[in-house]
Amino acid sequence: MTSVSLSTSAANALRADAVVVAVAKGPKGLVLAPGAETVDEAFDGKLAAVLTTLGATGAEGDSVKLPAPAGVKASLILAVGLGDATEGDAFDAEALRRAAGTAARALHGSKKAAFALPLADAAAVEAVALGALLGAYTFTAFRSEAALAGGKDPLAEIALVGAKRGDKANKAAVDRATVVAEEMNRTRDLINTPPNDLFPKSFADIVTTVGKEHGLKVEVLDEKALTKGGFGGIMGVGIGSARPPRLVKVAYTHPKAKQTLAFIGKGITYDSGGISLKPAGHNETMKCDMSGAAAVFAAVVAAARLGLQVNVTGWLALAENMPSGSATRPGDVLKMYGGKTVEVLNTDAEGRLVLADAIVRAGEEKPDAIVDVATLTGAMMMALGSRTFGIMANQDDFRDKVFAAATAAGEQSWPMPLPAELRKGMESPTADIANMGDRMGGGLVAGLFLQEFVAEGISWAHLDIAGPAFHEGAPYGYIPKGGTGSAVRTLVQLAEEASAGAL
Ligand code: BES
Ligand code: MN
Ligand code: ZN
């Protein structure tokens, strides 16, 4: 695993394989960012000119390698782009995270690197540490030994140079970034694990094991307990699979907690669509349909590792959505936890069914707020693209708070409405509600469905991460191919705000 530390050495004097410097796009071409001074001296002050000759412009995503001159201990210089130069020394946190991530990816296979990036304050230290640790992520658990031996290891050691080492705020920034990055990487691992390895029981077993390591209380309801307890939504979705469903409760408590949060995650370990089977072309990445549950689990672990003064309960609604002779049929009516009935018109609208049970169950414990996270609808991807998640809520001010938390945490999101007129489309001639409504605004329809199950008086928000949970394109910045860890930072931010009593 990759580690980050603060170093007091000068960039040129550190024993490392590579030194990373940053460049930016100035009005008259490429400029060096603060941190690059000692390296530039070794180039006789010509580093910017050399990099320009090599085609670098300072644009975001720029990544140029060149041999180090005499006067630099490392053998390689890597220059990464920050985008537009800013007034003064402060760069946007996201630009720093992306540049650090690009650098860590470019140095895959190296052992140790000095990151001589602009570290103006603790926020910059945290951004660089986080971006680097996320960028270094790889997923090799399912490569054969032979392929592994021929492959390379991620960058192992990252020394941040130019930031004060004794500074408490800088040290805390590295510690926080390490926890958040490791928990995002845990989320990514869970998402990337193929569905023949990660299914409801194996996921629950992981939560039990990891939960124990971090002093969390874990309770698992198996199919017998779910049936007995009346969890008709989770059972209805999981009943077609040879791998039965689970509802996992994973709780972190702090004796001085002022507020209690419930996080709920959609944990469909594979979404085939069920009897309303998805066509080829739509099911290849559906191992990602447990991204919400993975994010929730990781956020609870992060809250524990950070020792936040808050109670956080994670509810993971785990099921595999499969077609079979025992599967729920379109037309079936399910009796949900709490007694509401749902006519299942499309078995591919399964996420809302497992979430509804969990929302009612979580509400029984009267938390101050419920936040659910789900790869819920293709419609949300249509609306917001693949890098932005949608936020819906039962109170505008709570939705604004969640949006502000996501933004502060560095996650791209957007507030979405829950227009009351869309409820009509879900009217069922047979049951209390149908699991499908108008096709237009399908992401909002799903949100309205969930809202029906939220107990009176509890603030609730719904994050539809169908777009950003799983990245199919080329890696960029600190985002790899596959699971991204979307929503983890937002949940941790919310837990932090609640620990200050500010939610
Ligand atoms: N898991 C999917 C949503 C999804 C699609 C996530 C693409 C990530 C990428 C969800 O269960 C689903 O199938 N939703 C349907 C709902 C429809 C049948 C009302 C959809 O969006 O098409
Ligand atoms: Mn589905
Ligand atoms: Zn799904």
Side-chain angles (χ1 to χ4, degrees), residues 189-500:
D189 279 347
L190 287 164
I191 297 167
N192 292 334
T193 300
N196 56 339
D197 246 70
L198 191 86
F199 43 89
K201 180 181 185 303
S202 67
F203 195 159
D205 289 346
I206 291 171
V207 176
T208 303
T209 307
V210 176
K212 215 176 257 164
E213 285 167 26
H214 296 283
L216 305 173
K217 188 161 180 240
V218 181
E219 288 168 51
V220 179
L221 297 188
D222 64 9
E223 69 273 27
K224 268 174 98 177
L226 289 168
T227 306
K228 196 160 168 244
F231 291 87
I234 297 174
M235 283 311 296
V237 172
I239 200 73
S241 170
R243 299 178 164 118
R246 295 286 184 270
L247 175 63
V248 179
K249 177 186 180 187
V250 50
Y252 165 68
T253 53
H254 191 286
K256 288 192 199 148
K258 293 181 201 77
Q259 293 187 308
T260 298
L261 296 180
F263 294 158
I264 299 176
K266 171 178 174 181
I268 301 299
T269 57
Y270 184 71
D271 183 10
S272 73
I275 297 294
S276 316
L277 194 64
K278 286 183 188 292
H282 291 262
N283 50 23
E284 294 81 356
T285 60
M286 278 304 136
K287 67 175 181 182
C288 81
D289 216 18
M290 35 56 70
S291 297
V296 162
F297 170 43
V300 177
V301 176
R305 290 179 66 183
L306 294 169
L308 302 182
Q309 291 193 12
V310 60
N311 298 328
V312 186
T313 308
W315 299 89
L316 320 183
L318 309 178
E320 186 180 54
N321 188 22
M322 294 291 271
S324 78
S326 62
T328 292
R329 293 153 286 255
D332 281 355
V333 172
L334 301 176
K335 186 162 181 204
M336 312 292 281
Y337 186 75
K340 273 206 179 67
T341 58
V342 177
E343 182 178 14
V344 178
L345 292 179
N346 189 322
T347 62
D348 199 11
E350 83 297 339
R352 63 198 75 182
L353 298 173
V354 300
L355 288 169
D357 274 2
I359 288 172
V360 176
R361 178 64 190 89
E364 287 179 347
E365 306 201 347
K366 304 250 177 288
D368 293 296
I370 295 178
V371 179
D372 78 68
V373 184
T375 46
L376 206 58
T377 65
M380 196 54 62
M381 292 178 83
M382 287 288 182
L384 296 177
S386 52
R387 294 189 185 182
T388 304
F389 61 78
I391 305 175
M392 285 141 273
N394 59 353
Q395 296 150 10
D396 286 355
D397 60 338
F398 188 59
R399 189 193 57 210
D400 293 345
K401 276 186 193 167
V402 175
F403 176 54
T407 307
E411 294 207 86
Q412 234 166 272
S413 70
W414 202 249
M416 302 294 274
L418 291 173
E421 72 275 10
L422 290 177
R423 171 64 178 81
K424 248 192 156 2
M426 288 186 284
E427 280 174 6
S428 157
T430 317
D432 297 342
I433 190 169
N435 77 330
M436 250 188 68
D438 296 2
R439 198 169 73 85
M440 297 297 168
L444 318 180
V445 171
L448 279 164
F449 180 92
L450 296 179
Q451 187 175 24
E452 299 272 323
F453 296 86
V454 180
E456 198 92 24
I458 300 180
S459 302
W460 160 78
H462 158 57
L463 315 185
D464 190 337
I465 61 168
F470 197 83
H471 179 59
E472 291 189 65
Y476 67 94
Y478 54 87
I479 302 294
K481 251 188 186 313
T484 61
S486 176
V488 172
R489 283 180 282 168
T490 300
L491 296 179
V492 172
Q493 182 81 27
L494 287 168
E496 278 176 338
E497 289 175 15
S499 80

Side-chain angles (χ1 to χ4, degrees), residues 1-5 16 110-115 154-159:
M1 205 156 26
T2 313
S3 69
V4 170
S5 61
S110 302
K111 272 202 106 64
K112 179 170 182 180
F115 277 45
L155 180 60
E157 256 185 89
I158 295 165

